[in-house]
Amino acid sequence: MAWTLTGHRSRDSRRKQRPALEELDVRRLLSTGLGGALSEQAAVRRAEAVQRMRSAAVHTTHQPRVHAAAGVQNLRIVRTATTDSVESPAGSVASGATTAFDPIIGSAQARQAYNVDGSGLTVAVIDTGVNYNNGGLGGGFGPNARVVAGYDFGDHDSDPIASSSQHGTAVAGLIAGGDANHLGVAPGVDIVALKVTNASNTADTSNIADALQWVVDNHSKYNISVVNISLSNGKNYARNWFAADGGVGQRMTQLVGQLKALNIPVVAATGNSFTGQQGEGFTAVLDGVISVTASDSSDKLLSNAQRLGSALGGATATDLAAPGSGLAALIDGSNYSNVDGTSFAAPLVSGSIVLLQSIYKSRFGSLPTVDQLTSWLEKGAKTIHDDVTGIDIGRLNVLGSAALVPGTPVVTVPTTPTTPATPTPPVVVTPPVVVTPPAQQVLTPPTIPVNYTPPAQAPSTPTPPVTTPVVSTPPPAAPTTTPTTPTTPVDDEAEPTPTTLEVPVYLNGKAVDALTTTSVDQAASTTKLAKADVGQLLRAMSKWASSNGSKSVRAWSVTTTK
């Protein structure tokens, strides 16, 4: 499911309204999880709180930070002007009730054993915005708050507050929440809120690319060390077919690479569209991303959590699993709601990365590389087996990963009994998690996954970046035989322009050498894909195979119309 645009609305109107329908639009990315589920009273309270924050902004920017949650009054946040100075944990580490994920991933034990909580670092949350007025996230916005900065790319203004969806608030709370009864993995880390959805809860892929560029441009100013993207387009890919599409997919792949060179990992949820075939959604399938699927308390992957093994996915395979079921997540005011899905597994990994970075930085004065972090996460994880696909994958264990950081001392973790978790107060949320939508929503059939079987991948020459931003869906754009200026996106139902493919593509055993109306119609008839999607797929696969020196490429559809 996704969302349709309903036109531009003012910021005041989108604080008081929320979309009634969730409908599919193939050009949009959609967030998985909390939708416009708040009560009207909560929406009014939030709007009033925003007005109070704005009227008092001139005063709060000159006042020291005050933690609203009693459980973190002794936590001192330390910011440094540069990221290469040596950091030492400051103050005492916050402690509180045991969360649902603490006993599984060892986050509370890691904080206590290594005296780290993420202070001095910042996570960029690319999502639906963050309710920064929430006391669990510092109760403010700006230099003296926990949510230190942000931008709204969906509505093109400087206020990234969550309006129609609290999905981003829940993600931020799992990373950095300071409520003593619901501590995040790294309760000392700051947040940058980059809102990419508009009033209709749709997110153009170009907005996400712009948000990544914002992180590249501002990472040193705010000490950003991790990027979290809990968004997916609901489709299933076995490889990054978008690295050379000449559009937004190529741009995002290059931006992830730039962030990796800055030692800033991008963590992305794999998506909740698993139907039995291995794969990941966009953006988790991009090269260089740390992709995260979701598991339950019994170390079984959630039934709808997408996953991709290394035998099929190669370098784009799912990196890690993390708890994504029965988590109490921050939503509105002081309210919490139980959430499920890969959207909420990813922030547990992002918070854990912050703890590992804090340990390394306190010893060496710099951030570890993304490859080092990935290695520690995977080697420290507990291996679990997926009975559906037969693949093995590591489940997050940050305490085990922390032991792999160079110079790690021998740590004895106290065995004192943990404080029982405070029962989550009942919250009226409709729906708390977008897994089984309510009756009034309109559902569309999911896209049939295609199990790609490309030849062995060889290094390819990166395509120069496109200067003109392209707002498009992740499927690949058409290659051309001679250099031309980027073309504008075509309508989904338009016939593809006749093009000679660089190498033949065999789709379900049928060879296609050139894209004509007849060849595309015949190829599309063997699948449930639209003709435009088939044309884009054939172009991308042909170009990918040609760049790898292959003479042909084959793809087989799991389900056909015949």
Side-chain angles (χ1 to χ4, degrees):
M1 75 191 74
W3 320 78
T4 55
L5 290 171
T6 57
H8 176 72
R9 284 189 254 173
S10 67
R11 191 157 195 85
D12 289 337
S13 67
R14 63 189 169 89
R15 282 199 175 96
K16 297 177 182 178
Q17 301 181 29
R18 55 183 182 269
L21 297 180
E22 300 174 4
E23 301 176 355
L24 186 64
D25 179 345
V26 296
R27 292 191 182 91
R28 309 294 182 188
L29 283 181
L30 47 143
S31 63
T32 55
L34 300 172
L38 302 178
S39 65
E40 292 300 326
Q41 294 89 342
V44 172
R45 289 198 307 271
R46 181 172 63 255
E48 292 173 345
V50 172
Q51 186 61 37
R52 289 195 300 271
M53 288 299 303
R54 285 175 170 169
S55 63
V58 65
H59 302 292
T60 59
T61 54
H62 300 290
Q63 296 176 354
R65 175 187 302 175
V66 178
H67 290 282
V72 292
Q73 290 291 337
N74 62 347
L75 184 63
R76 183 160 63 93
I77 307 301
V78 178
R79 291 189 184 83
T80 56
T82 61
T83 58
D84 57 355
S85 59
V86 177
E87 284 285 327
S88 297
S92 57
V93 177
S95 60
T98 303
T99 65
F101 55 81
D102 272 335
I104 301 175
I105 69 173
S107 50
Q109 290 178 305
R111 292 195 302 270
Q112 182 179 7
Y114 296 94
N115 196 30
V116 293
D117 59 14
S119 297
L121 299 177
T122 303
V123 177
V125 176
I126 298 178
D127 214 287
T128 66
V130 173
N131 180 9
Y132 47 71
N133 295 314
N134 196 299
L137 291 173
F141 177 69
N144 295 313
R146 293 287 309 284
V147 182
V148 295
Y151 190 79
D152 186 341
F153 292 92
D155 294 288
H156 306 291
D157 61 51
S158 59
D159 186 359
I161 193 167
S163 51
S164 58
S165 171
Q166 294 300 319
H167 183 271
T169 303
V171 168
L174 290 169
I175 295 171
D179 185 335
N181 292 322
H182 301 280
L183 286 176
V185 177
V189 75
D190 288 332
I191 294 293
V192 162
L194 299 176
K195 183 174 179 289
V196 293
T197 55
N198 56 23
S200 302
N201 264 352
T202 58
D204 283 342
T205 52
S206 60
N207 289 347
I208 299 176
D210 289 343
L212 290 172
Q213 183 66 60
W214 191 97
V215 176
V216 171
D217 296 339
N218 295 278
H219 71 279
S220 60
K221 182 177 181 180
Y222 300 108
N223 291 332
I224 299 172
S225 64
V226 185
V227 177
N228 190 96
I229 306 177
S230 289
L231 302 172
S232 177
N233 67 344
K235 296 187 178 181
N236 208 47
Y237 307 102
R239 293 291 176 92
N240 178 18
W241 301 106
F242 316 104
D245 67 0
V248 69
Q250 178 174 325
R251 182 186 174 205
M252 290 178 65
T253 299
Q254 293 171 343
L255 286 168
V256 171
Q258 291 181 45
L259 289 168
K260 183 176 181 180
L262 296 170
N263 296 334
I264 301 174
V266 176
V267 179
T270 57
N272 303 324
S273 300
F274 181 70
T275 57
Q277 301 300 317
Q278 294 184 50
E280 298 172 326
F282 187 93
T283 59
V285 78
L286 294 179
D287 300 332
V289 166
I290 296 178
S291 53
V292 182
T293 188
S295 57
D296 60 20
S297 59
S298 300
D299 281 338
K300 297 294 184 182
L301 297 185
L302 300 191
S303 60
N304 64 346
Q306 288 169 262
R307 73 291 304 254
L308 177 60
S310 58
L312 180 61
T316 59
T318 304
D319 293 288
L320 213 61
S325 176
L327 306 178
L330 187 63
I331 49 170
D332 182 54
S334 59
N335 295 325
Y336 288 77
S337 177
N338 286 334
V339 294
D340 297 321
T342 60
S343 283
F344 309 108
L348 300 188
V349 174
S350 293
S352 296
I353 288 175
V354 169
L355 297 183
L356 298 178
Q357 289 174 327
S358 297
I359 296 170
Y360 185 93
K361 197 169 188 290
S362 68
R363 297 170 182 170
F364 300 99
S366 63
L367 294 176
T369 67
V370 175
D371 289 338
Q372 283 179 302
L373 289 166
T374 304
S375 175
W376 300 336
L377 289 168
E378 292 179 345
K379 292 180 179 178
K382 175 186 176 182
T383 300
I384 62 177
H385 182 74
D386 176 31
D387 294 332
V388 179
T389 62
I391 65 173
D392 291 330
I393 192 169
R395 191 262 296 144
L396 176 65
N397 174 16
V398 65
L399 185 62
S401 297
L404 301 174
V405 178
T408 302
V410 177
V411 176
T412 302
V413 179
T415 58
T416 55
T418 56
T419 305
T422 301
T424 302
V427 181
V428 178
V429 179
T430 309
V433 182
V434 180
V435 175
T436 305
Q440 73 270 19
Q441 294 176 338
V442 179
L443 300 181
T444 58
T447 303
I448 300 299
V450 176
N451 182 14
Y452 299 104
T453 310
Q457 186 174 5
S460 59
T461 302
T463 303
V466 177
T467 57
T468 302
V470 178
V471 178
S472 64
T473 183
T480 56
T481 55
T482 59
T484 61
T485 57
T487 58
T488 57
V490 297
D491 185 80
D492 290 338
E493 298 302 323
E495 291 290 344
T497 302
T499 304
T500 300
L501 297 179
E502 297 180 26
V503 299
V505 178
Y506 291 84
L507 184 61
N508 291 327
K510 180 177 291 295
V512 181
D513 297 307
L515 295 183
T516 64
T517 301
T518 300
S519 65
V520 172
D521 285 344
Q522 290 177 346
S525 68
T526 67
T527 73
K528 286 189 176 180
L529 298 174
K531 289 184 292 183
D533 290 339
V534 171
Q536 289 178 327
L537 174 64
L538 293 171
R539 292 186 190 98
M541 293 184 66
S542 177
K543 184 173 182 178
W544 175 82
S546 176
S547 66
N548 290 327
S550 300
K551 295 183 178 180
S552 65
V553 61
R554 299 174 182 272
W556 297 92
S557 177
V558 177
T559 304
T560 68
T561 57
K562 295 184 177 181

